[in-house]
Amino acid sequence: MVKVLFVCLGNICRSPTAEGVFRRLVEEQGLDDRIQIDSAGTHAYHVNSPPDHRAQAAALQRGIDMSGLRGRQVDEGDFYMFDYVLAMDKSNEYNLLAISPPDHDATMRLFMEYAESWSDDEVPDPYYGGDAGFERVLDMIEDAAEGLLADIRKHHL
Ligand code: 4NP
């Protein structure tokens, strides 16, 4: 089993969207028995909350139902549990580095490193913006998700 954790700040906008998009891609390719997917936030503001309603609405328009997801905070144990710990932005990555145990084997990267069409390093935080921000987040995540699955196929499957 290859285990992938997506991480953002609140775990209500970007990382649950990445979880939903990547899960659908993995299911479409019949790999759901080989790849396990989760998401978490570096902060605890939205623990046990469902994804932001704007993120849910934007994802649902693309056929992705995120209503069952609930926020949780990332912790040190996640670095031993997961093979990939993927940060949405550099601030998330910095916060992850600060709590990462010295002896973990997880691949810790910015998620956008796997994108092919976008050259951006970060998935921008859509929380304080308008609906267009959520569409952009989905477009970026769909692209990076394809690249991530290609990387997993190459190195693990
Ligand atoms: P996320 O977005 O990190 O993509 O889930 C945010 C969610 C909540 C807040 C900031 C960003 N907040 O400040 O509460």
Side-chain angles (χ1 to χ4, degrees), residues 36-121:
Q36 189 175 312
I37 308 160
D38 195 9
S39 65
T42 58
H43 285 70
Y45 311 131
H46 300 284
V47 170
N48 293 325
S49 298
D52 184 283
H53 64 94
R54 298 163 295 171
Q56 285 200 53
L60 203 54
Q61 282 203 332
R62 301 190 192 197
I64 296 165
D65 179 1
M66 310 199 299
S67 61
L69 301 180
R70 293 295 178 269
R72 76 167 178 92
Q73 188 174 21
V74 66
D75 66 30
E76 191 179 317
D78 286 316
F79 290 90
Y80 299 115
M81 188 78 73
F82 288 90
D83 301 293
Y84 289 81
V85 177
L86 302 174
M88 295 297 132
D89 66 30
K90 291 175 185 169
S91 154
N92 309 146
E93 187 183 42
Y94 178 84
N95 288 324
L96 283 169
L97 266 176
I99 62 155
S100 63
D103 58 342
H104 77 86
D105 293 325
T107 297
M108 205 174 94
R109 292 267 173 80
L110 285 169
F111 181 41
M112 286 305 287
E113 285 182 32
Y114 296 97
E116 280 152 20
S117 305
W118 295 76
S119 55
D120 305 54
D121 293 335

Coordinates of all heavy atoms in Angstrom, one line a residue, residues 36-121:
Q36 N -3.6 4.6 -0.6 CA -4.4 5.1 0.5 C -4.2 6.6 0.6 O -3.0 7.1 0.5 CB -4.0 4.4 1.8 CG -4.8 4.7 3.0 CD -4.4 3.9 4.2 OE1 -4.1 2.7 4.1 NE2 -4.2 4.5 5.3
I37 N -5.3 7.4 0.8 CA -5.2 8.8 0.7 C -5.9 9.5 1.9 O -6.9 9.0 2.4 CB -5.9 9.3 -0.6 CG1 -5.4 8.5 -1.8 CG2 -5.8 10.8 -0.8 CD1 -6.4 8.5 -3.0
D38 N -5.2 10.5 2.4 CA -5.8 11.3 3.5 C -5.3 12.7 3.4 O -4.5 13.1 2.6 CB -5.3 10.7 4.9 CG -6.1 11.1 6.1 OD1 -7.2 11.8 5.9 OD2 -5.7 10.8 7.2
S39 N -5.9 13.6 4.2 CA -5.5 15.0 4.3 C -5.5 15.5 5.7 O -6.2 14.9 6.5 CB -6.3 15.9 3.3 OG -7.7 15.9 3.8
A40 N -4.8 16.6 5.9 CA -4.7 17.2 7.3 C -4.2 18.6 7.2 O -3.8 19.1 6.1 CB -3.7 16.4 8.2
G41 N -4.4 19.3 8.3 CA -4.0 20.7 8.4 C -2.9 20.9 9.4 O -2.8 20.2 10.3
T42 N -2.0 21.9 9.1 CA -1.0 22.2 10.1 C -1.5 22.8 11.4 O -0.9 22.8 12.4 CB 0.1 23.1 9.5 OG1 -0.5 24.3 9.1 CG2 0.8 22.4 8.4
H43 N -2.7 23.5 11.2 CA -3.3 24.1 12.4 C -4.6 23.4 12.8 O -5.2 22.7 12.0 CB -3.6 25.6 12.1 CG -2.3 26.4 12.2 ND1 -1.3 26.2 11.3 CD2 -1.8 27.3 13.1 CE1 -0.3 27.0 11.6 NE2 -0.5 27.7 12.7
A44 N -5.1 23.7 14.0 CA -6.2 22.9 14.5 C -7.5 23.7 14.5 O -8.5 23.3 15.0 CB -5.9 22.5 16.0
Y45 N -7.5 24.9 13.7 CA -8.7 25.7 13.7 C -10.0 25.0 13.3 O -11.1 25.3 13.8 CB -8.6 26.8 12.6 CG -7.4 27.6 12.6 CD1 -6.7 27.9 11.4 CD2 -6.9 28.3 13.7 CE1 -5.6 28.6 11.3 CE2 -5.8 29.1 13.7 CZ -5.1 29.2 12.5 OH -4.0 30.0 12.4
H46 N -9.9 24.0 12.4 CA -11.1 23.4 11.8 C -11.1 21.9 12.0 O -11.7 21.2 11.2 CB -11.2 23.7 10.3 CG -11.2 25.2 10.0 ND1 -12.3 26.0 10.2 CD2 -10.2 26.1 9.7 CE1 -12.1 27.2 10.0 NE2 -10.8 27.3 9.6
V47 N -10.6 21.4 13.1 CA -10.6 20.0 13.4 C -12.1 19.6 13.5 O -12.9 20.3 14.2 CB -9.9 19.7 14.8 CG1 -10.1 18.3 15.2 CG2 -8.4 19.9 14.5
N48 N -12.4 18.4 12.9 CA -13.8 17.9 12.8 C -14.8 18.7 12.0 O -15.9 18.3 11.9 CB -14.4 17.7 14.2 CG -13.7 16.6 15.0 OD1 -13.2 15.6 14.4 ND2 -13.5 16.8 16.3
S49 N -14.3 19.7 11.3 CA -15.2 20.5 10.4 C -15.2 19.8 9.0 O -14.2 19.3 8.5 CB -14.7 21.9 10.2 OG -14.7 22.6 11.4
P50 N -16.4 19.9 8.3 CA -16.4 19.5 6.9 C -15.7 20.5 6.1 O -15.4 21.6 6.5 CB -17.9 19.5 6.6 CG -18.5 20.4 7.6 CD -17.7 20.4 8.8
P51 N -15.3 20.2 4.8 CA -14.7 21.1 4.0 C -15.5 22.4 3.8 O -16.8 22.3 3.9 CB -14.5 20.4 2.6 CG -14.5 19.0 3.0 CD -15.4 18.8 4.2
D52 N -14.9 23.5 3.6 CA -15.5 24.8 3.3 C -16.6 24.6 2.2 O -16.4 23.9 1.2 CB -14.4 25.8 2.8 CG -14.9 27.2 2.6 OD1 -15.6 27.4 1.5 OD2 -14.6 28.0 3.4
H53 N -17.7 25.3 2.4 CA -18.9 25.0 1.5 C -18.5 25.5 0.1 O -19.0 24.9 -0.9 CB -20.1 25.8 2.0 CG -20.0 27.2 2.0 ND1 -20.5 28.1 1.0 CD2 -19.5 28.1 3.0 CE1 -20.2 29.3 1.3 NE2 -19.6 29.4 2.5
R54 N -17.7 26.5 -0.1 CA -17.3 26.9 -1.4 C -16.4 25.9 -2.1 O -16.5 25.6 -3.3 CB -16.5 28.3 -1.3 CG -17.3 29.4 -0.8 CD -16.5 30.5 -0.3 NE -15.6 30.2 0.8 CZ -14.6 30.9 1.2 NH1 -14.3 32.1 0.7 NH2 -13.8 30.5 2.2
A55 N -15.5 25.3 -1.3 CA -14.6 24.2 -1.9 C -15.5 23.0 -2.2 O -15.3 22.4 -3.3 CB -13.6 23.8 -0.8
Q56 N -16.5 22.7 -1.4 CA -17.4 21.5 -1.7 C -18.2 21.8 -2.9 O -18.3 20.9 -3.8 CB -18.3 21.3 -0.5 CG -17.7 20.7 0.7 CD -18.8 20.1 1.6 OE1 -19.6 19.3 1.1 NE2 -18.8 20.4 2.9
A57 N -18.7 23.0 -3.1 CA -19.5 23.3 -4.3 C -18.7 23.2 -5.5 O -19.2 22.7 -6.6 CB -20.2 24.7 -4.1
A58 N -17.5 23.8 -5.5 CA -16.6 23.8 -6.7 C -16.3 22.3 -7.1 O -16.3 22.0 -8.3 CB -15.4 24.6 -6.4
A59 N -16.0 21.5 -6.1 CA -15.6 20.1 -6.4 C -16.8 19.3 -6.9 O -16.7 18.5 -7.8 CB -15.0 19.5 -5.1
L60 N -18.0 19.6 -6.3 CA -19.2 18.9 -6.7 C -19.5 19.1 -8.2 O -20.0 18.3 -8.9 CB -20.3 19.3 -5.8 CG -21.5 18.3 -5.7 CD1 -21.0 16.9 -5.3 CD2 -22.5 18.8 -4.7
Q61 N -19.2 20.4 -8.6 CA -19.5 20.7 -10.0 C -18.6 19.8 -10.9 O -18.9 19.7 -12.1 CB -19.1 22.1 -10.3 CG -20.2 23.1 -9.8 CD -20.2 24.4 -10.6 OE1 -19.1 24.8 -11.0 NE2 -21.3 25.1 -10.7
R62 N -17.5 19.3 -10.4 CA -16.7 18.4 -11.2 C -16.9 16.9 -10.8 O -16.1 16.1 -11.1 CB -15.2 18.8 -11.0 CG -14.9 20.2 -11.5 CD -13.5 20.6 -11.6 NE -13.3 22.0 -11.7 CZ -12.2 22.6 -12.1 NH1 -11.1 21.9 -12.4 NH2 -12.1 23.9 -12.2
G63 N -18.0 16.7 -10.1 CA -18.4 15.3 -9.7 C -17.7 14.8 -8.5 O -17.7 13.5 -8.3
I64 N -17.1 15.6 -7.7 CA -16.4 15.1 -6.5 C -17.1 15.5 -5.2 O -17.3 16.7 -5.0 CB -14.9 15.6 -6.5 CG1 -14.2 15.1 -7.7 CG2 -14.2 15.3 -5.2 CD1 -12.9 15.8 -8.0
D65 N -17.6 14.5 -4.5 CA -18.3 14.8 -3.3 C -17.4 14.7 -2.1 O -16.9 13.7 -1.8 CB -19.4 13.7 -3.1 CG -20.3 13.9 -1.9 OD1 -20.0 14.8 -1.1 OD2 -21.2 13.0 -1.7
M66 N -17.2 15.8 -1.4 CA -16.3 15.9 -0.3 C -17.0 16.0 1.1 O -16.4 16.3 2.1 CB -15.3 17.1 -0.4 CG -14.6 17.2 -1.8 SD -13.2 18.2 -1.7 CE -13.8 19.8 -1.2
S67 N -18.3 15.8 1.0 CA -19.1 16.1 2.2 C -18.8 15.2 3.4 O -19.1 15.6 4.5 CB -20.6 16.0 1.9 OG -20.9 14.7 1.5
G68 N -18.3 14.1 3.1 CA -18.0 13.2 4.2 C -16.6 13.4 4.9 O -16.3 12.8 6.0
L69 N -15.8 14.3 4.4 CA -14.5 14.6 4.9 C -14.6 15.4 6.2 O -15.5 16.3 6.3 CB -13.6 15.2 3.9 CG -13.4 14.4 2.6 CD1 -12.4 15.1 1.7 CD2 -12.8 13.0 2.9
R70 N -13.7 15.3 7.1 CA -13.6 16.1 8.3 C -12.2 16.5 8.6 O -11.3 15.7 8.4 CB -14.2 15.3 9.6 CG -15.6 15.0 9.5 CD -16.5 16.2 9.5 NE -17.9 16.0 9.4 CZ -18.6 15.9 8.3 NH1 -18.0 16.1 7.1 NH2 -19.9 15.7 8.3
G71 N -12.0 17.7 9.1 CA -10.7 18.3 9.3 C -10.0 17.5 10.5 O -10.6 17.1 11.4
R72 N -8.7 17.4 10.3 CA -7.8 16.9 11.4 C -6.5 17.6 11.3 O -6.1 18.2 10.2 CB -7.7 15.4 11.4 CG -6.7 14.9 10.3 CD -6.4 13.4 10.6 NE -5.6 12.8 9.7 CZ -4.2 12.7 9.8 NH1 -3.6 13.3 10.7 NH2 -3.5 12.0 8.9
Q73 N -5.7 17.6 12.4 CA -4.4 18.3 12.4 C -3.3 17.2 12.2 O -3.4 16.1 12.7 CB -4.2 18.9 13.8 CG -2.9 19.8 13.8 CD -2.8 20.6 15.1 OE1 -3.4 20.2 16.1 NE2 -2.0 21.6 15.0
V74 N -2.4 17.6 11.4 CA -1.2 16.7 11.1 C -0.4 16.5 12.4 O -0.4 17.5 13.2 CB -0.4 17.2 9.9 CG1 0.3 18.6 10.3 CG2 0.7 16.2 9.5
D75 N 0.2 15.4 12.6 CA 1.1 15.2 13.8 C 2.3 14.4 13.4 O 2.4 13.9 12.3 CB 0.3 14.6 15.0 CG -0.1 13.2 14.8 OD1 0.5 12.5 14.0 OD2 -1.2 12.8 15.4
E76 N 3.2 14.3 14.3 CA 4.5 13.7 14.1 C 4.3 12.2 13.6 O 5.1 11.8 12.7 CB 5.2 13.7 15.4 CG 6.7 13.3 15.3 CD 7.4 13.4 16.7 OE1 7.1 14.3 17.5 OE2 8.1 12.4 17.0
G77 N 3.3 11.5 14.1 CA 3.1 10.1 13.7 C 2.8 10.0 12.2 O 3.1 8.9 11.6
D78 N 2.3 11.0 11.6 CA 2.0 11.0 10.2 C 3.2 10.7 9.3 O 3.1 10.2 8.2 CB 1.2 12.2 9.7 CG -0.2 12.3 10.2 OD1 -0.9 11.3 10.1 OD2 -0.6 13.4 10.7
F79 N 4.3 11.2 9.8 CA 5.6 11.1 9.0 C 6.0 9.6 8.9 O 6.8 9.2 8.0 CB 6.7 11.9 9.6 CG 6.5 13.4 9.3 CD1 5.8 14.2 10.3 CD2 6.9 14.0 8.2 CE1 5.5 15.5 10.0 CE2 6.7 15.4 7.9 CZ 6.0 16.1 8.9
Y80 N 5.6 8.8 9.9 CA 6.0 7.4 9.9 C 4.9 6.6 9.2 O 5.2 5.5 8.6 CB 6.1 6.8 11.3 CG 7.2 7.5 12.2 CD1 6.8 8.3 13.3 CD2 8.5 7.4 11.8 CE1 7.8 8.9 14.0 CE2 9.5 8.0 12.6 CZ 9.1 8.7 13.7 OH 10.1 9.4 14.4
M81 N 3.7 7.1 9.2 CA 2.5 6.4 8.6 C 2.5 6.5 7.1 O 2.1 5.6 6.4 CB 1.2 7.0 9.2 CG 0.0 6.3 8.8 SD -0.2 4.9 9.8 CE -0.6 5.6 11.4
F82 N 2.9 7.7 6.6 CA 2.7 8.0 5.1 C 4.0 7.9 4.3 O 5.1 8.3 4.9 CB 2.0 9.4 5.0 CG 0.6 9.4 5.4 CD1 0.2 9.7 6.7 CD2 -0.4 9.0 4.5 CE1 -1.1 9.6 7.1 CE2 -1.8 9.0 4.9 CZ -2.1 9.3 6.2
D83 N 3.9 7.5 3.1 CA 5.0 7.5 2.2 C 5.3 8.9 1.5 O 6.4 9.3 1.3 CB 4.8 6.5 1.0 CG 4.6 5.1 1.6 OD1 5.5 4.6 2.2 OD2 3.4 4.6 1.5
Y84 N 4.1 9.6 1.3 CA 4.2 11.0 0.7 C 3.5 11.9 1.7 O 2.4 11.7 2.0 CB 3.5 11.1 -0.6 CG 4.2 10.4 -1.8 CD1 4.1 9.0 -2.0 CD2 4.9 11.1 -2.7 CE1 4.7 8.4 -3.1 CE2 5.5 10.5 -3.8 CZ 5.4 9.1 -4.0 OH 6.0 8.5 -5.0
V85 N 4.2 13.0 2.1 CA 3.5 14.1 2.8 C 3.7 15.3 2.0 O 4.8 15.8 1.8 CB 4.2 14.3 4.2 CG1 3.6 15.4 5.0 CG2 4.1 13.0 5.0
L86 N 2.6 15.8 1.4 CA 2.7 16.8 0.3 C 2.0 18.1 0.8 O 0.8 18.2 1.1 CB 2.0 16.3 -0.9 CG 2.6 14.9 -1.4 CD1 1.8 14.4 -2.6 CD2 4.1 15.1 -1.8
A87 N 2.8 19.2 0.8 CA 2.4 20.5 1.3 C 1.8 21.3 0.1 O 2.3 21.3 -1.0 CB 3.6 21.2 1.9
M88 N 0.8 22.1 0.4 CA 0.2 22.9 -0.6 C 1.0 24.2 -0.8 O 1.0 24.7 -1.9 CB -1.3 23.3 -0.2 CG -2.2 22.1 -0.2 SD -2.4 21.3 -1.8 CE -2.2 19.6 -1.3
D89 N 1.6 24.7 0.2 CA 2.4 25.9 0.0 C 3.7 25.9 0.9 O 3.8 24.9 1.7 CB 1.6 27.2 0.2 CG 1.1 27.4 1.7 OD1 1.8 27.0 2.6 OD2 0.1 28.1 1.8
K90 N 4.5 26.9 0.8 CA 5.8 26.8 1.5 C 5.7 27.0 3.0 O 6.5 26.5 3.8 CB 6.7 27.9 0.9 CG 7.2 27.5 -0.5 CD 8.0 28.6 -1.2 CE 8.3 28.3 -2.6 NZ 8.9 29.4 -3.4
S91 N 4.6 27.8 3.4 CA 4.4 27.9 4.8 C 4.0 26.6 5.4 O 4.4 26.3 6.5 CB 3.3 29.0 4.9 OG 2.6 28.9 6.1
N92 N 3.1 25.9 4.7 CA 2.8 24.5 5.2 C 4.0 23.6 5.3 O 4.2 22.9 6.3 CB 1.8 23.8 4.3 CG 0.5 24.6 3.9 OD1 0.0 24.4 2.8 ND2 0.0 25.4 4.8
E93 N 4.9 23.7 4.3 CA 6.1 22.9 4.3 C 7.0 23.3 5.4 O 7.6 22.4 6.1 CB 6.8 23.2 2.9 CG 8.0 22.3 2.7 CD 8.7 22.6 1.4 OE1 8.9 23.8 1.1 OE2 9.1 21.6 0.7
Y94 N 7.1 24.6 5.7 CA 7.9 25.0 6.8 C 7.4 24.5 8.2 O 8.1 24.0 9.0 CB 7.9 26.6 6.8 CG 8.7 27.2 7.9 CD1 10.1 27.4 7.8 CD2 8.0 27.6 9.1 CE1 10.8 28.0 8.9 CE2 8.7 28.2 10.1 CZ 10.1 28.4 10.0 OH 10.8 29.0 11.0
N95 N 6.1 24.6 8.3 CA 5.4 24.1 9.5 C 5.6 22.6 9.7 O 5.7 22.0 10.8 CB 3.9 24.5 9.6 CG 3.8 26.0 9.9 OD1 4.6 26.6 10.6 ND2 2.8 26.6 9.2
L96 N 5.5 21.9 8.5 CA 5.8 20.4 8.6 C 7.2 20.1 9.0 O 7.4 19.2 9.8 CB 5.5 19.8 7.2 CG 4.0 19.6 6.8 CD1 3.8 19.3 5.3 CD2 3.3 18.6 7.7
L97 N 8.1 20.8 8.4 CA 9.5 20.6 8.8 C 9.7 20.7 10.3 O 10.5 20.0 10.9 CB 10.4 21.6 8.0 CG 11.0 21.1 6.7 CD1 11.8 22.3 6.1 CD2 12.0 19.9 6.9
A98 N 9.1 21.7 10.8 CA 9.2 22.0 12.3 C 8.8 20.9 13.2 O 9.3 20.7 14.3 CB 8.5 23.3 12.6
I99 N 7.8 20.1 12.7 CA 7.3 19.0 13.5 C 7.8 17.6 13.0 O 7.4 16.6 13.6 CB 5.7 19.0 13.6 CG1 5.1 18.8 12.3 CG2 5.2 20.3 14.3 CD1 3.7 18.2 12.4
S100 N 8.5 17.6 11.9 CA 8.9 16.3 11.4 C 10.0 15.6 12.3 O 11.0 16.2 12.6 CB 9.4 16.4 10.0 OG 10.5 17.2 9.9
P101 N 9.8 14.3 12.6 CA 10.8 13.6 13.4 C 12.1 13.4 12.6 O 12.0 13.3 11.3 CB 10.2 12.3 13.8 CG 9.1 12.1 12.8 CD 8.6 13.5 12.3
P102 N 13.3 13.3 13.2 CA 14.5 13.3 12.4 C 14.7 12.0 11.6 O 15.4 12.0 10.6 CB 15.6 13.4 13.5 CG 14.9 13.1 14.8 CD 13.5 13.4 14.6
D103 N 14.0 10.9 12.0 CA 14.3 9.6 11.4 C 13.2 9.1 10.5 O 13.1 7.9 10.2 CB 14.5 8.6 12.5 CG 13.3 8.5 13.4 OD1 12.5 9.4 13.4 OD2 13.2 7.5 14.1
H104 N 12.3 10.0 10.0 CA 11.2 9.5 9.1 C 11.7 9.3 7.7 O 12.7 9.8 7.2 CB 10.1 10.5 9.1 CG 10.3 11.7 8.3 ND1 9.9 11.7 6.9 CD2 10.7 12.9 8.5 CE1 10.2 12.9 6.4 NE2 10.7 13.7 7.4
D105 N 11.0 8.4 7.0 CA 11.3 8.1 5.6 C 10.4 8.6 4.5 O 10.5 8.3 3.4 CB 11.3 6.5 5.4 CG 12.4 5.9 6.2 OD1 13.5 6.5 6.3 OD2 12.2 4.7 6.7
A106 N 9.4 9.4 5.0 CA 8.4 9.9 4.0 C 9.1 10.9 3.0 O 10.0 11.6 3.4 CB 7.3 10.7 4.8
T107 N 8.5 10.9 1.8 CA 8.9 11.9 0.8 C 8.1 13.2 1.1 O 6.9 13.2 1.0 CB 8.6 11.4 -0.6 OG1 9.3 10.2 -0.8 CG2 8.8 12.4 -1.6
M108 N 8.8 14.2 1.5 CA 8.1 15.5 1.9 C 8.4 16.5 0.8 O 9.5 16.9 0.6 CB 8.5 16.0 3.2 CG 7.5 16.8 3.9 SD 8.0 17.3 5.6 CE 8.8 18.8 5.2
R109 N 7.3 16.9 0.1 CA 7.5 17.8 -1.1 C 6.4 18.8 -1.1 O 5.3 18.7 -0.5 CB 7.4 17.0 -2.4 CG 8.5 16.0 -2.6 CD 9.6 16.7 -3.5 NE 10.7 15.8 -3.6 CZ 10.7 14.7 -4.5 NH1 9.7 14.5 -5.3 NH2 11.8 14.0 -4.5
L110 N 6.6 19.9 -1.9 CA 5.5 20.7 -2.3 C 4.7 19.9 -3.4 O 5.3 19.4 -4.3 CB 6.0 22.0 -2.9 CG 6.6 23.1 -2.0 CD1 7.3 24.2 -2.8 CD2 5.5 23.7 -1.1
F111 N 3.4 19.9 -3.2 CA 2.5 19.1 -4.2 C 2.7 19.6 -5.6 O 2.7 18.8 -6.5 CB 1.1 19.2 -3.7 CG 0.1 18.5 -4.5 CD1 0.3 17.2 -5.0 CD2 -1.2 19.1 -4.8 CE1 -0.7 16.5 -5.7 CE2 -2.1 18.4 -5.5 CZ -1.9 17.1 -6.0
M112 N 2.9 20.9 -5.8 CA 3.0 21.5 -7.2 C 4.3 21.0 -7.9 O 4.4 21.2 -9.1 CB 2.8 23.0 -7.2 CG 1.4 23.4 -6.9 SD 0.2 22.8 -8.1 CE 0.5 23.6 -9.6
E113 N 5.2 20.4 -7.2 CA 6.4 19.9 -7.9 C 6.0 18.8 -8.9 O 6.7 18.5 -9.8 CB 7.4 19.3 -6.9 CG 8.1 20.4 -6.1 CD 9.2 19.8 -5.2 OE1 9.7 18.7 -5.5 OE2 9.4 20.5 -4.1
Y114 N 4.8 18.2 -8.7 CA 4.3 17.1 -9.6 C 3.5 17.6 -10.7 O 3.1 16.9 -11.6 CB 3.5 16.1 -8.8 CG 4.3 15.4 -7.7 CD1 4.3 15.8 -6.4 CD2 5.2 14.3 -8.1 CE1 5.1 15.2 -5.4 CE2 6.0 13.7 -7.1 CZ 5.9 14.1 -5.8 OH 6.7 13.5 -4.9
A115 N 3.2 18.9 -10.7 CA 2.4 19.5 -11.8 C 3.2 19.6 -13.1 O 4.4 19.8 -13.1 CB 1.9 20.9 -11.4
E116 N 2.5 19.4 -14.2 CA 3.2 19.5 -15.5 C 2.9 20.7 -16.3 O 3.7 21.3 -16.9 CB 2.9 18.2 -16.3 CG 3.8 17.1 -15.8 CD 3.1 15.7 -16.0 OE1 2.2 15.5 -16.9 OE2 3.6 14.8 -15.3
S117 N 1.6 21.2 -16.2 CA 1.2 22.4 -17.0 C 1.4 23.7 -16.2 O 1.4 24.7 -16.8 CB -0.3 22.2 -17.4 OG -0.5 21.0 -18.0
W118 N 1.4 23.6 -14.9 CA 1.5 24.8 -14.1 C 3.0 24.9 -13.6 O 3.5 23.9 -13.2 CB 0.6 24.8 -12.9 CG -0.8 24.8 -13.2 CD1 -1.6 23.8 -13.7 CD2 -1.7 25.9 -13.1 NE1 -2.9 24.2 -13.9 CE2 -3.0 25.5 -13.5 CE3 -1.6 27.2 -12.6 CZ2 -4.1 26.3 -13.5 CZ3 -2.7 28.1 -12.6 CH2 -3.9 27.6 -13.1
S119 N 3.6 26.1 -13.6 CA 4.9 26.3 -13.1 C 4.9 26.8 -11.7 O 6.0 27.0 -11.1 CB 5.7 27.2 -14.0 OG 5.1 28.4 -14.2
D120 N 3.7 27.1 -11.1 CA 3.6 27.7 -9.8 C 4.2 26.6 -8.8 O 4.0 25.4 -8.9 CB 2.2 27.9 -9.4 CG 1.5 28.8 -10.4 OD1 1.5 28.5 -11.6 OD2 0.9 29.8 -9.9
D121 N 4.9 27.1 -7.7 CA 5.3 26.3 -6.7 C 4.3 25.9 -5.7 O 4.3 24.9 -5.0 CB 6.5 27.0 -5.9 CG 7.7 27.2 -6.7 OD1 7.9 26.4 -7.7 OD2 8.5 28.1 -6.4

